[in-house]
Amino acid sequence: MSPLPTLLLWWLLLLTVEPASASLIRIPLRRVHTGHRTLNPLRGWGKPAATPALGAPSPGDKPTFIPLSNYMNVSLSPRESSPSPPLKKSNPSFTLSPFDPQVQYYGQIGLGTPPQNFSVVFDTGSSNLWVPSIRCHFFSLPCWLHHRFNPKASSSFQPNGTKFAIQYGTGRLAGILSEDKLTIGGIMNASVIFGEALWESSLVFTLARFDGVLGLAFPVLAVGGVRPPLDVLVDQGLLDKPVFSFYLNRDPEAADGGELVLGGYDPAHYIPPLTFVPVTIPAYWQIHMGRMKVGTGLTLCAQGCAAILDTGTSLITGPTEEIQALNKAIGGISLLVGVYLIQCETIPRLPPVSFLLGGVWFNLTAQDYVIQSVRGGFRLCLSGFQALDMPSPAGPLWILGDVFLRTYVAVFDRGNLTSGARVGLARSRFGET
């Protein structure tokens, strides 16, 4: 064979290879075992073993570890998609479960030079990065119980001073915008504008194990028109493309909490094929859901409905009437507003709950959607479905939170000039032999 056809063959072969594994930034997620300490914010958390320091470059193809923990039933989103006052968004559903089912995932980043470390929720339901500030109000209790950013300790700090505010259902967050270097995984020196929280009024923030939030949704949701961190990484050439994926480990006893991959996805995380579903409104990661089924006896979302994939929400939420019917069908016993108890011994007999997305059925077994927790030798089983009524124009909609995303790997692809945003879903390889 002549050299020219051989070179042409190799060139064509390279064009057909899936670039999913090229230039990936791997952020293994680790879980901190909080045990009975979860509701005591004055207690320190354990240190994961063998965690490289933030700011250390990724050694070749070896991953850089970011500790991840899962804590409480919390919802960071959705926020209002209707026009709102400048520098202010609202969130109707930031909630803390009194039973603390420990299903919230979070990890560590660095801000400043040298990096000051913070634990943050990687939230696909919001678009801002914020952490508590050392300049916070004296009476802001959550601020004093968490790591705080000190601008005087950073040689790369740039003041901004623009005020921002986020109104949550159970409290308010307010502060000022600032600029400094972001360190995440092996990526360093990304100049980002972030929020320094000066006032956090919520009990949720006081009890939370995380310090702040790193939003991974679309720019339209960003408070103050701030460029979201993902966009900044791409703009500054630190990330090849605006694609990322979550693999969440659903084993509460495992030290490995999963992995956040920036720049693409890892086929080793899921069972092929990936089903891609187009994003219908590029604000949240919102898609169309054809319908839902509970076993063979109950159909929900019968005419189709909107759903968002949200790593900042622990449970699966939906309209009150349909959630009540769903919990009744799985034997849920209402304890408090929005909390349903499941009799643990019935789990093997409970029906699957199925979601029609992109023409494919995605099934959750009771082992997937029942949250099991052991406290003082007592086993507690709670429903992973909770009511949340979103008013028009944002709602009604369903939120597929971590209860769904622990079972299915999600690939979040912002798209490009020739193709729109989409979400890819496939069964996680967790537990497969």
Side-chain angles (χ1 to χ4, degrees), residues 180-238:
D180 214 326
K181 302 295 185 180
L182 170 67
T183 298
I184 177 171
I187 298 179
M188 299 179 292
N189 298 322
S191 296
V192 298
I193 295 178
F194 66 99
E196 287 189 64
L198 303 181
W199 176 261
E200 300 171 59
S201 63
S202 173
L203 177 64
V204 172
F205 293 127
T206 302
L207 300 179
R209 290 294 174 132
F210 58 84
D211 302 311
V213 174
L214 190 152
L216 291 167
F218 291 80
V220 69
L221 288 186
V223 171
V226 172
R227 196 74 170 151
L230 181 70
D231 297 75
V232 170
L233 296 178
V234 176
D235 293 346
Q236 298 181 12
L238 299 172

Side-chain angles (χ1 to χ4, degrees), residues 260-280:
L260 165 63
V261 178
L262 299 177
Y265 51 94
D266 186 351
H269 285 160
Y270 61 84
I271 301 170
L274 273 171
T275 297
F276 280 98
V277 186
V279 170
T280 54

Side-chain angles (χ1 to χ4, degrees), residues 58-359:
S58 180
D61 59 354
K62 295 182 180 179
T64 299
F65 288 84
I66 288 186
L68 186 86
S69 184
N70 56 345
Y71 178 69
M72 78 186 188
N73 167 25
V74 62
S75 174
L76 292 170
S77 39
R79 291 155 181 79
E80 293 176 348
S81 57
S82 57
S84 55
L87 305 184
K88 184 174 181 179
K89 294 280 184 178
S90 70
N91 178 345
S93 63
F94 194 101
T95 58
L96 173 65
S97 166
F99 296 104
D100 180 32
Q102 294 184 274
V103 289
Q104 180 64 57
Y105 292 83
Y106 55 92
Q108 198 172 70
I109 63 167
L111 282 171
T113 307
Q116 301 173 40
N117 297 347
F118 299 92
S119 58
V120 297
V121 174
F122 296 107
D123 178 26
T124 59
S126 65
S127 300
N128 286 85
L129 167 61
W130 67 264
V131 296
S133 172
I134 199 170
R135 299 180 282 183
C136 63
H137 194 283
F138 180 80
F139 293 105
S140 180
L141 180 61
C143 179
W144 293 96
L145 298 177
H146 292 88
H147 296 98
R148 295 175 292 157
F149 178 76
N150 183 1
K152 293 183 179 180
S154 172
S155 62
S156 52
F157 174 78
Q158 295 292 328
N160 180 296
T162 303
K163 294 181 180 180
F164 80 97
I166 301 175
Q167 181 67 50
Y168 294 103
T170 53
R172 184 173 185 268
L173 171 77
I176 58 173
L177 299 179
S178 297
E179 183 174 353
D180 214 326
K181 302 295 185 180
L182 170 67
T183 298
I184 177 171
I187 298 179
M188 299 179 292
N189 298 322
S191 296
V192 298
I193 295 178
F194 66 99
E196 287 189 64
L198 303 181
W199 176 261
E200 300 171 59
S201 63
S202 173
L203 177 64
V204 172
F205 293 127
T206 302
L207 300 179
R209 290 294 174 132
F210 58 84
D211 302 311
V213 174
L214 190 152
L216 291 167
F218 291 80
V220 69
L221 288 186
V223 171
V226 172
R227 196 74 170 151
L230 181 70
D231 297 75
V232 170
L233 296 178
V234 176
D235 293 346
Q236 298 181 12
L238 299 172
L239 200 64
D240 284 349
K241 52 187 176 181
V243 180
F244 60 95
S245 59
F246 277 91
Y247 158 72
L248 302 179
N249 191 337
R250 56 184 174 178
D251 182 358
E253 301 303 321
D256 175 19
E259 188 172 54
L260 165 63
V261 178
L262 299 177
Y265 51 94
D266 186 351
H269 285 160
Y270 61 84
I271 301 170
L274 273 171
T275 297
F276 280 98
V277 186
V279 170
T280 54
I281 300 178
Y284 309 113
W285 288 91
Q286 182 173 324
I287 60 176
H288 176 75
M289 182 160 63
R291 62 183 183 276
M292 287 178 59
K293 294 191 302 184
V294 183
T296 58
L298 177 64
T299 298
L300 304 172
C301 176
Q303 305 301 317
C305 55
I308 65 173
L309 283 298
D310 187 5
T311 59
T313 297
S314 300
L315 307 183
I316 295 173
T317 74
T320 296
E321 184 175 346
E322 294 192 288
I323 287 292
Q324 289 175 343
L326 191 160
N327 277 305
K328 181 179 180 180
I330 63 175
I333 303 170
S334 180
L335 291 182
L336 300 171
V337 176
V339 178
Y340 287 83
L341 178 69
I342 301 292
Q343 297 182 47
C344 298
E345 63 273 15
T346 67
I347 290 177
R349 304 190 299 273
L350 295 182
V353 177
S354 305
F355 308 78
L356 183 60
L357 306 169

